[in-house]
């Protein structure tokens, strides 16, 4: 006599008795990846690439749920307050998990306590650009011009608290100079005024700035990653400028997935392995370049360590700059 197979009926019976953990009981439900920004942006694109990759690889439905507002805080808080069953994840990046907690005053949630890192899969650098009409050809020349200028240099950003804003403040802090921040409502209008010479420089996300460099409207001086960017191998890093105080300069955005802190460790581990399996494929990595991103794979512990490191760095920059929202 042989034993009967372990069927869905048995699973339901065990579930009714409480013998299965909550996350195992809900594996038939779609998994939502909450993107805390509007559709169409870089975060949204990366979130959809990951959702599609996970759905294809593992036969479960992964969907993107855009919950935009307050610089990513609305979507972040939503995930913190969600059930820890592994069916609600946050597309996190440096801005939402390592910058906003120090930049925004009066937040009613704690990112460090409310979320558990699951896995990281990409990073994106910024591109420092000046108008093509500028006489400045290198970052070292830019530094000399900033230091010798009677008036503070102006820099554009896509908004207060963005990566471009804080990278500029970190540059000013490293050089011990004052610069004037000109914030815009988005990257494109900011770049337009840099092209026109109304603003002297900008740290921009790579794709739109690279297009203007290629068309001869902007000049690229440096990338903010520790190593040269695969899409811009001819552009040196900030650290390669020869300026001593910039030798350790790095400003990148890390992308990963996080879960509510009540999510069981076993569920985190299972999700982490699946995410890294998808993120390690050439098909997934080949799509990152569209957003100017590069692969950066790490499990829950490695992602957690990176969040801690980036949080300490940006907390210091925000404090020294006096930036707040």
């Amino acid at each position: 006599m042989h034993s009967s197979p372990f069927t869905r009926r048995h699973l339901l019976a065990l579930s009714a008795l409480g013998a299965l953990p909550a996350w195992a009981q809900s594996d038939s439900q779609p998994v939502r990846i909450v993107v805390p920004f509007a559709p169409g942006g870089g975060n949204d694109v990366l979130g959809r690439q990951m959702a599609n990759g996970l759905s294809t690889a593992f036969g479960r439905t992964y969907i993107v749920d855009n919950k935009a507002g307050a610089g990513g805080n609305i979507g972040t808080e939503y995930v913190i307050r969600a059930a820890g069953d592994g069916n609600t994840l946050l597309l996190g990046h440096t801005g939402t998990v390592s910058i906003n907690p120090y930049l925004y005053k009066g937040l009613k949630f704690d990112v460090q306590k409310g979320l558990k890192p699951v896995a990281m899969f990409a990073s994106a650098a910024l591109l420092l650009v000046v108008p093509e009409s500028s006489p400045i050809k290198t970052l070292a020349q830019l530094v000399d011009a900033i230091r010798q200028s009677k008036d503070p240099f102006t820099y554009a950003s896509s908004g207060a608290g963005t990566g471009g804003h804080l990278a500029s403040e970190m540059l000013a802090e490293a050089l011990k100079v004052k610069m004037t921040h000109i914030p815009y409502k988005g990257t494109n209008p900011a770049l337009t005024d840099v092209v026109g010479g109304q603003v002297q420089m900008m740290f921009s996300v790579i794709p739109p700035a690279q297009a203007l460099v290629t068309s001869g409207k902007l000049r690229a001086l440096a990338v903010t990653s520790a190593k040269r960017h695969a899409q811009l191998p001819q552009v040196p890093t900030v650290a390669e400028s020869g300026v001593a105080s910039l030798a350790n300069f790095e400003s990148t955005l890390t992308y990963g997935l996080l879960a509510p802190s009540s999510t069981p460790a076993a569920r985190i581990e299972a999700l982490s392995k699946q995410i890294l399996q998808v993120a390690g494929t050439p098909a997934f990595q080949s799509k990152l370049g569209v957003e100017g991103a590069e692969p950066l794979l790490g499990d829950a512990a490695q992602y957690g360590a990176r969040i801690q490191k980036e949080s300490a760095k940006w907390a210091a920059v925000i404090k020294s700059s006096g930036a707040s929202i």
Side-chain angles (χ1 to χ4, degrees), residues 135-146 153 221 241 243:
I136 295 167
K137 309 291 186 185
T138 67
L139 179 52
Q141 290 179 4
L142 176 66
V143 170
D144 288 341
I146 290 172
F153 250 56
L221 300 185
S241 64
V243 179

Side-chain angles (χ1 to χ4, degrees), residues 10-20 25:
H10 294 92
L11 284 171
L12 291 173
L14 286 171
S15 175
L17 294 171
L20 286 175
Q25 296 174 25

Side-chain angles (χ1 to χ4, degrees), residues 39 48 51 70 86 127 148 152 155 158 170 180 202 216-217 224 239 243 247 256 264 283 308:
R48 291 180 190 280
L127 185 62
Q148 294 168 14
Y155 68 88
S158 58
M170 188 162 66
T180 300
M202 179 178 178
K217 296 179 179 179
T224 60
V243 179
Q308 295 292 338

Side-chain angles (χ1 to χ4, degrees), residues 25 53 75 103 107 118 135 157 170 173 185 187-188 190 204 245:
Q25 296 174 25
L103 183 68
L107 287 181
V118 179
S157 84
M170 188 162 66
E173 176 69 17
K185 293 183 177 179
T187 298
N188 289 334
S204 170
S245 58

